Amino acid sequence: MVDLSVRIGSLTMRNPVTTGSGTFGFGSEVADLIDLNKIGAVCVKATTTHPRTGNPAPRIVETAGGMLNAIGLQNGGIENYLSEKLPYLRGFDCPIIVNVPGEDPEDFAYVVERLTEAKGADAIELNISCPNVSHGLDYATDPKATAEVVARCRRATTLPLLAKLSPNVTDIRPIAQAAEDAGADGLSLINTVIGTAIDARTRRFKLANVTGGLSGPSIKPIALLHVHRAASAVKIPIIGMGGIMSATDAIEFLLAGATAVAAGTANFINPGVALEIAAGIESYLRANDFTDVSQIIGAVR
Amino acid sequence: MIRRTIAPTLSNTPLDAPNHFVMTFHAPELAREALPGQFIAVAAGGGMQILRRPFSVYSVDPEAGWASILYSVYGPATSTMAKMKPGDELDFIGPLGGRVFEADPDPSCHHIMVGGGYGVPPLAFLCRNIRAANPNARITVISGGRTKNLLVGTDGLEEIGVTLEPCTNDGSCGYHGLVTGRLEEVLAEDQTAHQPSYVYTCGPTPMMKAVGDLSIEKGVPCQVSMEVFMPCGVGICMGCAVARHDGTYARGCTDGPVFPAREVKW
Ligand SMILES: Cc1cc2nc3c(=O)[nH]c(=O)nc-3n(C[C@H](O)[C@H](O)[C@H](O)COP(=O)(O)O)c2cc1C
Ligand code: FES
C-alpha cells in the first residue's frame, strides 16, 4: 500500500493532484471525462464579488510549448457560484478549492466571508497574482501588499487559506514568507508568466488585451525554481504548478518541495489528466519502494 | 456523452482541392450521437503546438459505425493527420458543441445553406439530416471559394436532391462573385414566390457576418456556426469568447458553436 494522501492546513487530499484554477471550469463541464470522486481536489475558476464579463477576444493564443491567455476573470460572481455551481460539485466526494481575486483587501475578504458562511469551499486560494486585470499583479509582487491581503482574509475565515503567488518577481522568498507570516496555511505557485505575442503579417498584437499569461510546458523550469525557492523559505505546504503535463512532471515538483501539484493547461488537452498523474505518482512510489508520498517531498539532491 | 476516443482510421482520402482531405474513422458512439454543427477536438502530434484542433463532423453512418471530418493542411497537426494511414489511431474528444444547427420544422421551408471552405462540411451534415427527416424538403447549398477546385464538402448532396449553387471569385464555376451576391438573388426569388426561407451559415467570419447581416436585413432567420479559436472545446478555458449584443461573452464551444445571427456582435 502506498499512502498518497497529503494535507494542506486542515484540508486533506486523497491524492496530491488538484486542478489549476481557470483550467477546469467548475468540474461539471468535464464530468463525462473524469471521475470527480477520485480527484485530490477541484480548484474552480476565479470567483469575484460581482459578475465579470472578461476581456475582448482574442483571449488566447498558442505559443511554442504553451499558450498565452488574457481571459480577464470572466465569471458569474460569488452568488451565482453558490447557487448554480456549488450544489453540483457537492454531489461528488471531492474537496473544493475556490480561487478568489479581489480589487482590494476588503473585496477579497467579502468573498472569503461569503464562502465561509455559505460553506462554499473546503479551502480558499487567494488569487493575488492574476496578470490579466489591473492591480492583479500588484499584491504578489510586493511582500507588504501580500501580507495585507492575507492578514485581512485570515480574520475573515477559519478555512484553509492559500496564497497564489506570481512568478513575475525577482525573488519569491520574501513574498512567500510574508504570506506565511500573515497566516496563510499554504501557497500555490506559480500563476502564469506575463508575456505577449505579435503577428508579423498583420503587424498587430495577437491578444486584444496585448499582454497575457503564459502557461504550459514552456514555463515548467521557471515554476520548478520558484517552487524550490519558496519551499526553502517557508514551513507551510505548497501546491506546485506550471507546465505539469505528466506524472513525471508532477514528481519533479514534489521533489522540488511541493506537497501537492495542480494540472492546468494539460486539462485542455486531456481533461482526465489529474487522475492519470495521480496514478503515475503511485506507480513511481511503488517502483521505488516508497510507502508514502511525503517521502519524496523536497527530496531533490 | 462526451468521450475521449482513440479511433482507428478507415480512410484518409485527398480531395481535388489541393491539401484537402476527408478522414473517416471507426467511432460508433460519435456516429450515433453527433449532431450537425458539433465538432471533435483532435490531438495529432503538433510538435511545439500542444493544443487540440477542432474539426466539424462532416458525415456519419450510425449503422456502419463510422464518422468523418474534412480538413485542409495548414499547420503541424494537420500535416501529421495528412500522413495517417488506414488503421492509424485518431485521438479525439467529442462530440463537442452545446448548441447545434436546428432545422426549421416548417415542411414548406426553403433551407438555404451558405458556406465557405471548411465551413461547408457541417452544412452538408445538416442537409443529409433534413433530407432524412423530410424527403420533400427544399434545400439549397450556396458554397463559395476563390476558384473552382477550392469548392469542397458538397459531394453526394446533388444525389439526395440538394440544389448546389457554387460561387467563385474568379468565375471559374457557377456564380461569379461572393456568396452574398447569390444569396440576395435566392432570397429575392423566395420572397416573390411567398416561399418561407431559413439561412444556415458556416465559414470565414467576414463571410458569416455578411450573410447574417443580409438575412437580418431581409427578415429571414439565420443561424451562424462561429469559427473562433477553441483551445479546449469543452467549456473550461473561456478562451473562445463570442461577443453578444447584451455586452456579455458566450463560450463558442459550449454555448455555441451555433448562434442566432441576431445574437452575435461581430
Ligand atoms: C485559460 C487560463 C485561465 C486561468 N485562470 C486562472 C484564474 O482564474 N485564477 C488563477 O489563480 N489562475 C488562473 N490560471 C492560472 C493557472 O491556474 C495556473 O496557475 C497556470 O496556468 C500555470 O499552470 P499550467 O502551466 O499547468 O497551466 C489560468 C490559466 C489559464 C491557462
Ligand atoms: S474552447 Fe475552452 S471554453 Fe470554449
Side-chain angles (χ1 to χ4, degrees), chain A residues 32 56 59 62 65 74 269, chain B residues 2 48 50-53 238:
Chain A
D32 280 355
R59 291 174 170 187
E62 199 161 7
Q74 178 174 350
I269 298 138
Chain B
I2 303 171
M48 288 204 286
I50 60 168
L51 298 175
R52 286 173 184 267
R53 292 280 174 274
M238 310 300 266

Side-chain angles (χ1 to χ4, degrees), chain A residues 29 60 268, chain B residues 39 228-241 250-255:
Chain A
E29 298 88 341
I60 290 184
F268 302 158
Chain B
F39 59 96
V228 291
F229 180 44
M230 294 193 187
C232 77
V234 295
I236 55 177
C237 77
M238 310 300 266
C240 55
R251 281 172 298 191
C253 62
T254 49
D255 301 325

Side-chain angles (χ1 to χ4, degrees), chain A residues 106-181:
Chain A
E106 289 310 314
D107 194 34
F108 277 95
Y110 173 79
V111 180
V112 168
E113 259 160 38
R114 279 297 287 138
L115 284 168
T116 308
E117 69 196 13
K119 298 192 177 7
D122 300 303
I124 294 172
E125 180 179 81
L126 298 174
N127 181 0
I128 52 173
S129 50
C130 178
N132 294 326
V133 288
S134 49
H135 306 307
L137 202 58
D138 303 352
Y139 293 103
T141 51
D142 175 25
K144 255 176 76 184
T146 296
E148 204 186 331
V149 175
V150 174
R152 177 66 190 85
C153 294
R154 181 71 289 168
R155 292 202 300 277
T157 191
T158 51
L159 287 170
L161 201 56
L162 293 142
K164 184 155 180 183
L165 302 188
S166 169
N168 306 306
V169 294
T170 315
D171 187 351
I172 205 160
R173 285 168 286 203
I175 299 157
Q177 277 160 358
E180 179 179 44
D181 293 344

